[in-house]
Amino acid sequence: GNSVTQMEGPVTLSEEAFLTINCTYTATGYPSLFWYVQYPGEGLQLLLKATKADDKGSNKGFEATYRKETTSFHLEKGSVQVSDSAVYFCAPRQTGANNLFFGTGTRLTVIP
Amino acid sequence: KAGVTQTPRYLIKTRGQQVTLSCSPISGHRSVSWYQQTPGQGLQFLFEYFSETQRNKGNFPGRFSGRQFSNSRSEMNVSTLELGDSALYLCASSFGQQNTGELFFGEGSRLTVL
């Protein structure tokens, strides 16, 4: 079946530190891959996406590359800011459908 | 343009009652999906409606149901509430293409069951 394994949190980093949040998945076919972010008190927002192997999604300094051979979609940012404090969700789309299946989320706290 | 609107934002019910949550999608979007978010289980897919038809369904008991109207607005209903139904219920809308396309989420309806 479909499943997502996401790096356990919480993660606490100092401002300007490098961020990696690991995500691997199990799915049939080659699903589109998404990272969503949930800021405190808000709904989920799309952070970035990749729809085929070797695609790199990027937004707001965050990047993730669709690695078909390792079924991974790790999220990275070179220099985090306090405003990046949020919960991050890795979410492949179910192949042949319109719904996403989510990881457990990783809470990131960035301290000044 | 307006985003996804969910009402009510907060509500408190007691065990055995039922609840109806509403979702208005972004204008032009024909697909509405519902998710349950809890600290223990994370985000779990409930069901998706497209053009008034349920197109996909997650692994939830029959107490959870939904529908979609001709204007694409959707409601979900939970009957015979249990304590474990306490959660944030998120609605997401999209144009409805399968395999691709972004889902846009509302801020959620937070249900507390006492």
Side-chain angles (χ1 to χ4, degrees):
Chain A
N2 299 320
S3 67
V4 179
T5 301
Q6 193 174 331
M7 178 177 167
E8 289 284 332
V11 174
T12 302
L13 295 174
S14 298
E15 209 165 18
E16 298 184 4
F18 183 84
L19 169 72
T20 300
I21 300 178
N22 291 336
C23 171
T24 57
Y25 64 91
T26 304
T28 55
Y30 302 108
S32 297
L33 304 174
F34 300 80
W35 275 98
Y36 277 81
V37 58
Q38 189 173 34
Y39 297 103
E42 299 184 17
L44 277 81
Q45 304 173 24
L46 177 67
L47 181 60
L48 53 84
K49 69 177 182 182
T51 58
K52 61 182 188 297
D54 300 324
D55 263 3
K56 178 184 285 188
S58 60
N59 185 27
K60 300 182 180 180
F62 290 88
E63 292 182 340
T65 301
Y66 191 136
R67 300 288 187 201
K68 186 178 73 174
E69 62 279 6
T70 55
T71 61
S72 64
F73 194 51
H74 305 321
L75 182 68
E76 296 182 337
K77 185 173 185 181
S79 176
V80 293
Q81 306 300 313
V82 172
S83 57
D84 294 327
S85 298
V87 182
Y88 293 82
F89 293 90
C90 180
R93 180 187 293 278
Q94 183 174 330
T95 307
N98 197 34
N99 60 286
L100 305 170
F101 54 101
F102 284 87
T104 52
T106 301
R107 181 176 299 278
L108 169 67
T109 302
V110 181
I111 54 177
Chain B
K1 60 184 175 184
V4 178
T5 304
Q6 291 189 245
T7 56
R9 291 291 313 279
Y10 303 91
L11 65 168
I12 300 173
K13 294 285 186 178
T14 56
R15 277 181 299 174
Q17 287 187 310
Q18 70 151 12
V19 66
T20 299
L21 309 177
S22 177
C23 173
S24 293
I26 291 171
S27 178
H29 285 187
R30 294 167 63 194
S31 168
V32 174
S33 303
W34 290 89
Y35 292 80
Q36 181 195 64
Q37 185 177 17
T38 59
Q41 299 295 321
L43 271 150
Q44 294 187 287
F45 170 68
L46 281 154
F47 29 65
E48 184 219 1
Y49 287 85
F50 180 79
S51 294
E52 302 179 65
T53 300
Q54 188 181 89
R55 186 160 69 170
N56 206 354
K57 187 176 186 305
N59 235 7
F60 279 81
R63 299 186 297 108
F64 292 81
S65 63
R67 58 178 176 168
Q68 186 180 32
F69 302 96
S70 58
N71 62 357
S72 293
R73 190 177 71 84
S74 175
E75 289 181 346
M76 69 161 282
N77 184 78
V78 188
S79 62
T80 319
L81 284 166
E82 301 176 359
L83 295 179
D85 297 333
S86 295
L88 180 66
Y89 290 88
L90 293 168
C91 164
S93 79
S94 71
F95 287 110
Q97 314 99 304
Q98 303 199 84
N99 294 324
T100 63
E102 177 182 350
L103 300 189
F104 294 82
F105 284 82
E107 294 185 336
S109 293
R110 185 167 295 281
L111 169 65
T112 302
V113 182
L114 302 177

